[in-house]
């Protein structure tokens, strides 16, 4: 069965940024399950998978605009050290979780100054070209319940 809107796809994937170093991948024997056409994976990857059949493999290169977006310089914020948790020693590359109205937002520390730190609100993969190596393990029609919920049930899906 081929990948199309409203079908559940089980996908083995590896993600790197062009230098071959794998930064994310599906666990062995546990492919990612997603509902195709429901924006559950980045648009550039979803579009490239359309029409692939079970067992097919593909290398997909996704530009930032079709991935996690371009890096927005306005996402850089300076935070006074006095607003950091007591006893916390900030280091470049660390991630802080900030509680906002939208839930927890990760703040990556980009620079550490004497009185402040500079944090980056952008997605860690913003501005990056994504290289996916994918293999389609299974394609099936979604159940009516899955379509109603907008996500996959069962292994790799929602509700445990
Ligand atoms: Zn559900």
């Amino acid at each position: 069965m081929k990948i199309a809107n409203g079908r559940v796809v089980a996908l083995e994937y590896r993600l790197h940024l062009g230098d071959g170093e794998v930064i994310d991948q599906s666990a062995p024997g546990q492919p990612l399950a997603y509902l195709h056409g429901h924006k559950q994976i980045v648009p550039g990857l979803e579009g490239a998978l359309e029409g692939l059949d079970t067992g097919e493999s593909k290398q997909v290169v996704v530009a930032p605009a079709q991935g996690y977006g371009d890096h927005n310089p306005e996402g850089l914020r300076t935070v006074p050290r006095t607003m950091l948790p007591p006893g916390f020693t900030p280091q470049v590359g660390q991630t802080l979780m900030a509680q906002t109205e939208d839930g927890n937002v990760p703040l990556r520390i980009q620079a550490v100054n004497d009185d402040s730190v500079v944090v980056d609100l952008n997605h860690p993969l913003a501005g990056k070209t994504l290289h996916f190596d994918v293999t389609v393990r299974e394609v099936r029609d979604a159940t009516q319940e899955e379509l109603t919920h907008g996500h996959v049930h069962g292994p790799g899906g929602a509700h445990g």
Side-chain angles (χ1 to χ4, degrees):
M1 183 177 280
K2 288 181 193 271
I3 296 177
N5 284 352
R7 287 181 174 162
V8 170
V9 181
L11 194 69
E12 283 178 5
Y13 73 94
R14 284 189 313 164
L15 169 61
H16 67 93
L17 300 179
D19 59 2
E21 186 190 349
V22 175
I23 59 167
D24 189 21
Q25 61 187 321
S26 50
Q30 294 180 288
L32 168 79
Y34 78 94
L35 186 56
H36 193 79
H38 287 248
K39 297 185 167 64
Q40 295 179 338
I41 59 176
V42 295
L45 180 59
E46 187 165 57
L49 293 174
E50 181 93 25
L52 281 192
D53 212 332
T54 305
E56 282 194 272
S57 295
K58 191 171 184 177
Q59 292 187 318
V60 181
V61 178
V62 177
Q66 291 295 306
Y68 290 95
D70 292 313
H71 189 270
N72 182 356
E74 292 181 7
L76 296 176
R77 301 284 166 76
T78 300
V79 177
R81 281 225 196 192
T82 52
M83 290 183 64
L84 298 176
F88 176 77
T89 307
Q91 289 177 335
V92 172
Q94 275 181 322
T95 300
L96 286 169
M97 295 305 290
Q99 288 173 352
T100 72
E101 291 173 356
D102 300 327
N104 288 331
V105 176
L107 307 175
R108 245 166 337 117
I109 297 176
Q110 191 158 80
V112 178
N113 306 318
D114 285 345
D115 302 332
S116 64
V117 298
V118 178
V119 297
D120 191 351
L121 299 173
N122 287 283
H123 189 283
L125 293 174
K128 309 281 191 196
T129 298
L130 312 172
H131 298 248
F132 291 97
D133 299 327
V134 300
T135 299
V136 181
R137 283 295 164 216
E138 187 189 357
V139 184
R140 64 170 170 85
D141 286 317
T143 64
Q144 194 55 50
E145 192 181 43
E146 285 173 324
L147 289 173
T148 303
H149 288 200
H151 56 227
V152 176
H153 293 170
H159 309 303

